[in-house]
Amino acid sequence: MCGIVGCIGKKDVVCNVLSGLETIEYRGYDSAGIVCRDENTQALVWVKACGDLVALKEALVEKPLHAPIALGHTRWATHGGVTVENTHPHFDCHHTIALVHNGIIENYRALRADLESRGHVFRSQTDTEAVAHVLEEKLKTTASPKEALLATVKELEGSFALAILLRDLDDTLLFVRNRSPLCVGLGEDSASVVSDMLSLDQSIQQYAILPDQTIGIVRANFCEVYNFDGSPCELVYQPFTWLGQLKNKKNYEHYMLKEIHEQKQVIIDVVKYVRTLGNNWYSAIGLQKEEIQKLESIFGVACGTSYHAACMAHQYMRSIAHIHSYAERASEFLYQPEMPLKNCLYYVLSQSGETADTLETLRMLKKSGQKVLGIINVPTSSMARESTGILHMNAGLEVAVASTKSFTVQVVLLYWLAYKIAQEKGLVDSFAVEQAENDLLVCAQLLDGMIDKYQATIDERATYYASFSKYIFLGRQESFPFAQEAALKLKEIAYIFVEAYQAGELKHGPLALVDKNMPVVVFSSLDPIIYRKLLSNVQEVKARGGIVIAFAFEGQNELIAVASESFVFPVVAVHLGPLVMVSLMQYWVYRIALSLGRSIDKPRNLAKSVTVE
Ligand code: F6R
């Protein structure tokens, strides 16, 4: 959420900052800005524009910037509307300090009131600007930029990754890191400070993730870091190899479409990964064999799509591993009274590994003495580093804001984990685990074929599906969280209102909504008992003149007959129904959004990697 790119080099680095921002633009695309020092006047000069980076590039044509040191930011608005004034960088009163920020300064109102009472003039509505004015005062009252930064952070509450350019300090960038991620890269004659290592450029040879609660000073091939108490902090550098342009749409029209099609391969990759863990899987998840055998419950905490995967796991854990299972949204879990469970495996699920609520949950659980398994896609992320055990999602870079392949991989890993726990508890043998892995691979092989089968129909009928302003989605057992995930996708990229319900709940109220203007989409189950119950629920809808669109399985003829239209899927392992439906469901949503002319990869108001609570 928001992106920071600061570069130092021998020649012009404005283009490096711009291409760094492009790499992480999906994290925030409300507005963007770049600042550098004018080589002739030594004044700070900047360009800002509302909208995505195309707007900033156009503004840079009008007012070109060139300098060997520059700082850029792409914004997802939190405090203050999407305006040029609120776009980063922000400045002190005299434009001697330029500063970009990720996170939230929670006490900015008090700071601002205090600073204004002493004559500081603010130009924006942001929380960030207060920091520039605090630093302005501290630079006057302390002996060095280091001391000024240390004094500044003492005044700040909240989460903040800051990169700072001072008019009067040649060749240098300053930074602060508190709870929001930041990383430094060094090259022979260059250096970078970035919020995401994806945006490091080709000149960088080594990088380090900056530890929490640090400040620092960066010059070409030089970085000095201090803890908030002023003591020096050693960085652990890793070699950096630029992997070329990781963001590559290939021939797809959108990243989302590409990522939908990558799901077959990511399932294959993740099954390969768990197979290579062998007996190391205990240490991978951070538990001893005996601890797994004693497990009575499992508790998943996550946000958004990842939360839906945890809800699917809830079904798997109960029906396969026979343990109690809980799934909670991190934003709610964080503020509940602590009621630690005995013999419970806590886990967090996150594609980015940086989602603020989930990260805070991880930290809170660890503080209270729990081990926490992370199921994470980005291996360099804060959650990947801070979890006591980790299962890597291996899904590769996910660029589209709407998660697709990462959801699928999370479901795969949790299904596998349910079998591994069941095996440790003596409920199933190693052949059953192998069969489960093969069942996952069977689903992988079927995904693209389902799109091929229905693509023409969906493409042709997309405008019809898009003509409805609201939907109800139904499921039962594991097909309910899948219905919730489908609903989230349709809301998020098509901006259509959808309510997902457990089908059995319909008659307790929402059935009153059913009419010919609101289609009911039902996601069926392979469990024969659940299927029959679901069928009765669908009959209730049909009897009230509702339009039913069914995601059904071969042989479910009554459901297919009662539905106005159906997508029919091959029969797979009983709990894996959603996994064989996932690509087509996503494609169906994608086509609806496309026919409405939506911004598929960067839906309005959103950003990937939600690093504010
Ligand atoms: C929806 C979506 C979001 C994320 C949520 C958590 O398509 O992508 O709901 O799932 O913001 O993100 P991670 O998994 O990075 O913690």
Side-chain angles (χ1 to χ4, degrees):
M1 180 147 294
C2 298
I4 291 175
V5 181
C7 293
I8 301 171
K10 261 197 158 338
K11 298 186 193 128
D12 177 33
V13 294
V14 173
C15 48
N16 295 15
V17 170
L18 202 54
S19 53
L21 290 176
E22 271 178 336
T23 323
I24 52 164
E25 190 194 7
Y26 59 97
R27 292 176 179 242
Y29 38 84
D30 286 335
S31 64
I34 292 191
V35 62
C36 58
R37 194 185 296 104
D38 184 292
E39 295 214 82
N40 299 319
T41 65
Q42 297 302 304
L44 293 179
V45 281
W46 61 93
V47 171
K48 300 181 184 187
C50 290
D52 62 17
L53 285 173
V54 175
L56 181 66
K57 281 185 194 162
E58 282 166 10
L60 280 164
V61 173
E62 296 280 303
K63 181 182 173 184
L65 298 181
H66 300 286
I69 176 163
L71 196 55
H73 187 266
T74 171
R75 177 173 189 243
W76 184 79
T78 58
H79 294 68
V82 180
T83 62
V84 170
E85 293 71 37
N86 290 335
T87 300
H88 300 220
H90 291 288
F91 301 91
D92 62 317
C93 292
H94 309 290
H95 289 114
T96 60
I97 300 166
L99 176 148
V100 297
H101 167 219
N102 285 359
I104 292 180
I105 307 297
E106 285 166 6
N107 59 335
Y108 81 98
R109 278 194 191 84
L111 288 174
R112 181 172 179 148
D114 185 39
L115 288 155
E116 282 180 331
S117 74
R118 288 202 299 281
H120 287 263
V121 179
F122 280 67
R123 305 175 186 90
S124 76
Q125 286 81 49
T126 62
D127 52 333
T128 304
E129 193 182 345
V131 187
H133 293 275
V134 174
L135 183 59
E136 178 184 351
E137 292 202 343
K138 302 299 178 194
L139 280 166
K140 283 183 194 145
T141 52
T142 56
S144 66
K146 172 193 159 190
E147 297 303 327
L149 285 181
L150 290 172
T152 300
V153 295
K154 285 201 178 85
E155 308 266 328
L156 308 180
E157 287 167 21
S159 60
F160 39 91
L162 302 161
I164 303 156
L165 177 63
L166 300 185
R167 186 193 64 188
D168 302 329
L169 197 60
D170 256 359
D171 311 329
T172 305
L173 286 173
L174 307 175
F175 68 80
V176 176
R177 189 214 153 154
N178 183 50
R179 283 163 54 194
S180 280
L182 209 55
C183 135
V184 67
L186 299 181
E188 212 172 285
D189 297 313
S190 65
S192 293
V193 179
V194 293
S195 54
D196 187 319
M197 53 173 291
L198 275 180
S199 42
L200 292 174
D201 63 63
Q202 283 180 78
S203 72
I204 299 303
Q205 295 159 336
Q206 52 176 343
Y207 76 97
I209 309 283
L210 293 165
D212 210 19
Q213 304 220 311
T214 52
I215 61 133
I217 296 155
V218 181
R219 291 188 207 104
N221 203 13
F222 170 91
C223 179
E224 211 168 70
V225 185
Y226 300 93
N227 297 306
F228 278 4
D229 63 7
S231 60
C233 170
E234 282 298 312
L235 290 186
V236 182
Y237 284 97
Q238 315 267 2
F240 177 75
T241 318
W242 194 69
L243 296 173
Q245 195 50 275
L246 281 172
K247 261 181 73 176
N248 180 353
K249 251 195 298 191
K250 300 204 173 135
N251 290 326
Y252 292 97
E253 200 179 337
H254 297 101
Y255 282 106
M256 182 179 177
L257 188 58
K258 171 178 169 259
E259 287 157 11
I260 289 172
H261 281 287
E262 281 171 351
Q263 292 180 109
K264 171 184 170 185
Q265 193 55 46
V266 295
I267 297 178
I268 295 171
D269 292 345
V270 80
V271 170
K272 207 184 275 172
Y273 159 70
V274 292
R275 283 184 161 158
T276 56
L277 288 177
N279 275 338
N280 289 334
W281 83 278
Y282 305 108
S283 55
I285 70 164
L287 292 187
Q288 312 275 347
K289 191 177 171 70
E290 305 71 49
E291 288 178 298
I292 300 173
Q293 285 163 347
K294 275 202 282 185
L295 278 184
E296 288 166 20
S297 58
I298 185 158
F299 204 131
V301 189
C303 298
T305 288
S306 297
Y307 165 74
H308 295 147
C311 293
M312 289 192 50
H314 171 66
Q315 305 292 339
Y316 298 154
M317 294 299 166
R318 294 206 296 194
S319 48
I320 299 165
H322 297 184
I323 56 175
H324 295 290
S325 167
Y326 307 91
E328 278 267 10
R329 291 186 164 98
S331 53
E332 291 295 306
F333 181 80
L334 268 177
Y335 301 99
Q336 283 166 4
E338 241 184 81
M339 292 170 62
L341 294 165
K342 251 182 68 199
N343 298 326
C344 176
L345 170 59
Y346 286 91
Y347 68 97
V348 290
L349 278 180
S350 178
Q351 187 286 124
S352 61
E354 300 294 352
T355 302
D357 287 316
T358 315
L359 181 58
E360 285 307 311
T361 300
L362 164 65
R363 289 175 177 163
M364 184 185 90
L365 286 167
K366 278 181 67 185
K367 222 175 183 170
S368 69
Q370 303 291 341
K371 293 180 177 174
V372 188
L373 166 66
I375 300 182
I376 313 292
N377 195 34
V378 179
T380 50
S381 63
S382 305
M383 279 186 239
R385 280 178 286 118
E386 293 180 34
S387 301
T388 44
I390 182 154
L391 287 174
H392 292 287
M393 286 165 52
N394 296 287
L397 181 65
E398 190 178 68
V399 175
V401 165
S403 283
T404 50
K405 58 179 179 170
S406 58
F407 169 75
T408 300
V409 172
Q410 288 169 339
V411 171
V412 167
L413 281 171
L414 286 160
Y415 182 78
W416 171 83
L417 186 62
Y419 267 92
K420 291 301 278 183
I421 295 172
Q423 185 187 4
E424 279 319 309
K425 289 184 160 290
L427 298 170
V428 300
D429 59 17
S430 60
F431 296 110
V433 176
E434 203 181 322
Q435 183 57 50
E437 291 165 358
N438 287 337
D439 290 340
L440 291 165
L441 294 174
V442 167
C443 291
Q445 297 301 337
L446 294 169
L447 290 180
D448 288 346
M450 295 317 301
I451 296 184
D452 294 344
K453 182 174 168 191
Y454 288 111
Q455 181 163 9
T457 315
I458 291 176
D459 291 359
E460 194 186 305
R461 292 179 63 70
T463 22
Y464 164 74
Y465 302 133
S467 66
F468 298 97
S469 60
K470 49 193 189 304
Y471 275 84
I472 283 189
F473 286 3
L474 297 180
R476 289 187 83 127
Q477 305 290 312
E478 63 265 345
S479 82
F480 169 62
F482 184 68
Q484 287 182 298
E485 171 55 13
L488 176 61
K489 290 281 100 78
L490 194 64
K491 285 179 225 179
E492 169 176 35
I493 67 160
Y495 319 151
I496 292 177
F497 182 79
V498 197
E499 183 84 321
Y501 264 99
Q502 281 126 330
E505 276 293 297
L506 207 58
K507 54 186 167 299
H508 299 291
L511 197 56
L513 292 168
V514 168
D515 63 18
K516 59 181 181 4
N517 298 317
M518 187 181 59
V520 175
V521 179
V522 55
F523 297 95
S524 190
S525 169
L526 280 162
D527 180 317
I529 298 172
I530 302 301
Y531 166 64
R532 297 239 56 94
K533 298 287 172 200
L534 202 91
L535 188 57
S536 311
N537 306 139
V538 173
Q539 310 269 26
E540 292 155 11
V541 172
K542 197 67 189 174
R544 275 125 192 120
I547 303 165
V548 176
I549 300 172
F551 282 63
F553 293 98
E554 284 167 3
Q556 297 187 331
N557 297 332
E558 285 168 279
L559 175 59
I560 295 164
V562 89
S564 314
E565 57 182 295
S566 302
F567 303 110
V568 184
F569 297 83
V571 172
V572 290
V574 66
H575 296 298
L576 292 182
L579 203 63
V580 79
M581 290 177 174
V582 70
S583 290
L584 192 74
M585 175 278 279
Q586 294 159 347
Y587 183 75
W588 181 72
V589 171
Y590 165 81
R591 280 300 288 142
I592 295 173
L594 197 64
S595 80
L596 290 167
R598 306 301 192 217
S599 167
I600 301 285
D601 288 330
K602 292 186 277 183
R604 71 181 178 200
N605 305 340
L606 300 179
K608 199 143 184 102
S609 191
V610 184
T611 53
V612 290
E613 281 176 34

